[in-house]
C-alpha cells in the first residue's frame, strides 16, 4: 500500500507518469468517469481549505466514487480528545483512501503508520504540500511544455510557505533548474532546504528582496501569501503582509511567455489588474489541481 506524505515518496518517473495520466484525463473525461465506482474518499481537514479539499472531492466524484469527511477539527471527535491515530484507524473502516490536512508537521506521517488505507498529505503545518506540488508540475508542463531548463522565481513567504518547500524539492530533480528566491530577510527559505535540497543537488540559486531585480530572466514567477496562521507575533505579520504586491508595472521587464503562478488563496500579493494578463496562470493552476488529484487517486488505489 502506497501513501503520499512527501513529494519524494514519488520517483521522477512516477511523477511524469501522473502528469501523463492527468493530461489523458483532461482529453478523455468520459473514459475515467466510472473508474472509482464503489470507492469512497475521506477528507479529514483539521485546517481550513477551499481548493485542496474541494478539488479532491470533485476528483473522486468525477471518477465515479463517493466522498465523506469533515472540514474542521471542531466537528470531529478530535474536539473531545481523540488522537489522530485513533481517528485514522476508524475512518479507514469507512473509506478506501484518506486525504488529511493538519497544522502539526509530520501528522500525516504518523497517521500513515496506523492506517489500513492509503493516506495523502494535503498539507502539514509549514512543512509539505505534495499534491499542490503535483498541481504545480502539471501546470508548468502544460503551460511551458517542459519541466527542465527553467528559471523559477519564488516570491513571498519562503519561510512558512509549505508549497514552496515541496516545489523546490520536486524541481531540483529536473535538469538545469535555477531558482531566484525573493523574500524579505525575515521570511527567507529555511536553512534545511538550502543544505539538504539546493546545495546537496548543486542547484543554482540566488536570494534577493527585490521582486524586479531578476524579473527579465524568469520563466516562472511563483507568488505566495504571507502565512498569517504561522506567525507568533501579529505585529510582524502586519509589517510583512504587503511586502510584495505584483502589478502590471512590476511586470514591465518580464518575458512575454512568463508563467505567473500562485497556489492561492491570494490576499494582496497579486493585484487584480494582473488577472487578465495572458501570463496569469493561477486560476488555471487551481483547475489543473483536480486532474492531477484524479490521477493520484487512481494510482494509490491501483486502478488502471
Ligand atoms: N493551495 C491550497 O492549498 O489552497 P487551499 O488552502 O484552499 O486548499
Amino acid at each position: 500500500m502506497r501513501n503520499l506524505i512527501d513529494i519524494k515518496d514519488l520517483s521522477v518517473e512516477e511523477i511524469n507518469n501522473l502528469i501523463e495520466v492527468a493530461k489523458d484525463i483532461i482529453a478523455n473525461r468520459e473514459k475515467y468517469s466510472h473508474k472509482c465506482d464503489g470507492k469512497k474518499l475521506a477528507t479529514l481537514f483539521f485546517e481550513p481549505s477551499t481548493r485542496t479539499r474541494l478539488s479532491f472531492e470533485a476528483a473522486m466524484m468525477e471518477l465515479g466514487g463517493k466522498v465523506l469527511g469533515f472540514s474542521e477539527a471542531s466537528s470531529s471527535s478530535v474536539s473531545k480528545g481523540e488522537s489522530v491515530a485513533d481517528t485514522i484507524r476508524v475512518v479507514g473502516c469507512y473509506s478506501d483512501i484518506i486525504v488529511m490536512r493538519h497544522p502539526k508537521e509530520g501528522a500525516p506521517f504518523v497517521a500513515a503508520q496506523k492506517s489500513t488505507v492509503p493516506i495523502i498529505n494535503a498539507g502539514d503545518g509549514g512543512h509539505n504540500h505534495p499534491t499542490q506540488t503535483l498541481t504545480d508540475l502539471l501546470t508548468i508542463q502544460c503551460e511551458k511544455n517542459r519541466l527542465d531548463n527553467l528559471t523559477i522565481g519564488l516570491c513571498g513567504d519562503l519561510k512558512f510557505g509549505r508549497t514552496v518547500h515541496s516545489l523546490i524539492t520536486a524541481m531540483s530533480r529536473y535538469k538545469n533548474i535555477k531558482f531566484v528566491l525573493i523574500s524579505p530577510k525575515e521570511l527567507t527559505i529555511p536553512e534545511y532546504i538550502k543544505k539538504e535540497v539546493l546545495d546537496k543537488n548543486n542547484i543554482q540559486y540566488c536570494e534577493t528582496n527585490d521582486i524586479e531585480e531578476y524579473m527579465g530572466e524568469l520563466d516562472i514567477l511563483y507568488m505566495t501569501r504571507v502565512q498569517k496562521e504561522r506567525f507568533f507575533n501579529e505585529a510582524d505579520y502586519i509589517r510583512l503582509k504587503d511586502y510584495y504586491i505584483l502589478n502590471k508595472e512590476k511586470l514591465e521587464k518580464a518575458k512575454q511567455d512568463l508563467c505567473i503562478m500562485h497556489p492561492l488563496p491570494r490576499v494582496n500579493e497579486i493585484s487584480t489588474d494582473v488577472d487578465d494578463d495572458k501570463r496569469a496562470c493561477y486560476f488555471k493552476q487551481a483547475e489543473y489541481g483536480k486532474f492531477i488529484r484524479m490521477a493520484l487517486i487512481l494510482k494509490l488505489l491501483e486502478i488502471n
Side-chain angles (χ1 to χ4, degrees):
M1 187 181 78
R2 296 282 300 273
N3 303 297
L4 178 61
I5 306 301
D6 186 299
I7 194 67
K8 288 186 301 228
D9 294 342
L10 296 169
S11 67
V12 172
E13 192 184 358
E14 286 178 310
I15 289 175
N16 292 343
N17 186 257
L18 282 171
I19 289 171
E20 286 313 306
V21 173
K23 284 163 79 174
D24 193 56
I25 292 170
I26 292 168
N28 303 287
R29 304 277 283 273
E30 188 55 33
K31 182 175 136 191
Y32 291 87
S33 61
H34 293 287
K35 291 275 187 189
C36 284
D37 281 357
K39 300 287 185 191
K40 292 191 285 290
L41 173 134
T43 51
L44 311 188
F45 277 64
F46 298 88
E47 263 196 347
S49 167
T50 296
R51 275 145 295 274
T52 311
R53 186 172 65 84
L54 297 183
S55 66
F56 262 116
E57 294 187 357
M60 191 49 150
M61 289 179 201
E62 290 201 23
L63 290 167
K66 292 194 162 57
V67 298
L68 64 160
F70 54 81
S71 57
E72 49 186 281
S74 62
S75 64
S76 76
S77 285
V78 168
S79 62
K80 302 176 201 162
E82 187 171 44
S83 68
V84 167
D86 284 2
T87 303
I88 290 294
R89 284 178 82 145
V90 171
V91 176
C93 304
Y94 310 145
S95 60
D96 301 286
I97 186 164
I98 295 174
V99 181
M100 174 183 169
R101 172 173 286 187
H102 200 282
K104 273 199 190 136
E105 302 188 355
F109 175 79
V110 172
Q113 310 308 305
K114 300 288 176 191
S115 184
T116 53
V117 301
I119 297 283
I120 299 173
N121 178 6
D124 59 327
H127 193 216
N128 274 312
H129 193 348
T131 69
Q132 180 63 48
T133 302
L134 291 175
T135 299
D136 299 341
L137 296 183
L138 175 62
T139 306
I140 295 169
Q141 178 62 52
C142 289
E143 299 300 315
K144 303 298 294 181
N145 208 24
R146 65 186 193 275
L147 286 169
D148 45 19
N149 300 311
L150 291 165
T151 299
I152 303 173
L154 300 163
C155 179
D157 185 350
L158 308 189
K159 179 178 181 184
F160 297 117
R162 58 193 175 196
T163 63
V164 165
H165 304 162
S166 292
L167 184 59
I168 290 176
T169 305
M171 291 306 301
S172 293
R173 298 196 286 178
Y174 290 87
K175 288 197 186 95
N176 194 24
I177 298 296
K178 294 176 198 157
F179 291 107
V180 178
L181 305 175
I182 310 156
S183 71
K185 65 179 187 322
E186 295 89 341
L187 297 176
T188 55
I189 203 87
E191 279 304 311
Y192 80 91
I193 301 277
K194 285 190 198 168
K195 278 198 187 122
E196 292 168 27
V197 184
L198 295 169
D199 294 344
K200 198 170 166 185
N201 294 297
N202 289 319
I203 305 296
Q204 275 192 53
Y205 71 93
C206 60
E207 293 184 278
T208 178
N209 66 358
D210 179 356
I211 191 171
E212 289 173 89
E213 187 176 357
Y214 295 94
M215 186 64 85
E217 297 174 33
L218 303 180
D219 300 301
I220 309 278
L221 174 58
Y222 193 96
M223 297 297 295
T224 63
R225 169 180 72 91
V226 174
Q227 304 273 303
K228 180 181 184 183
E229 62 275 35
R230 317 266 176 240
F231 274 72
F232 295 111
N233 176 338
E234 195 177 357
D236 284 347
Y237 169 71
I238 289 168
R239 185 167 52 81
L240 294 168
K241 71 184 175 69
D242 293 331
Y243 201 95
Y244 299 109
I245 301 178
L246 182 69
N247 56 23
K248 283 194 172 181
E249 283 149 34
K250 295 202 173 78
L251 286 167
E252 262 168 24
K253 290 192 184 135
K255 290 182 182 175
Q256 283 310 305
D257 64 348
L258 173 71
C259 177
I260 305 167
M261 298 174 65
H262 191 311
L264 303 179
R266 155 178 65 182
V267 184
N268 282 328
E269 56 280 355
I270 303 180
S271 165
T272 52
D273 71 5
V274 176
D275 293 357
D276 55 10
D277 189 303
K278 67 178 177 40
R279 296 167 291 187
C281 294
Y282 29 94
F283 290 114
K284 267 194 266 183
Q285 186 182 351
E287 188 177 6
Y288 285 129
K290 180 180 70 178
F291 300 115
I292 199 76
R293 289 176 173 116
M294 290 171 78
L296 180 65
I297 291 167
L298 292 174
K299 179 175 177 62
L300 296 184
L301 290 179
E302 299 178 9
I303 295 170
N304 292 314

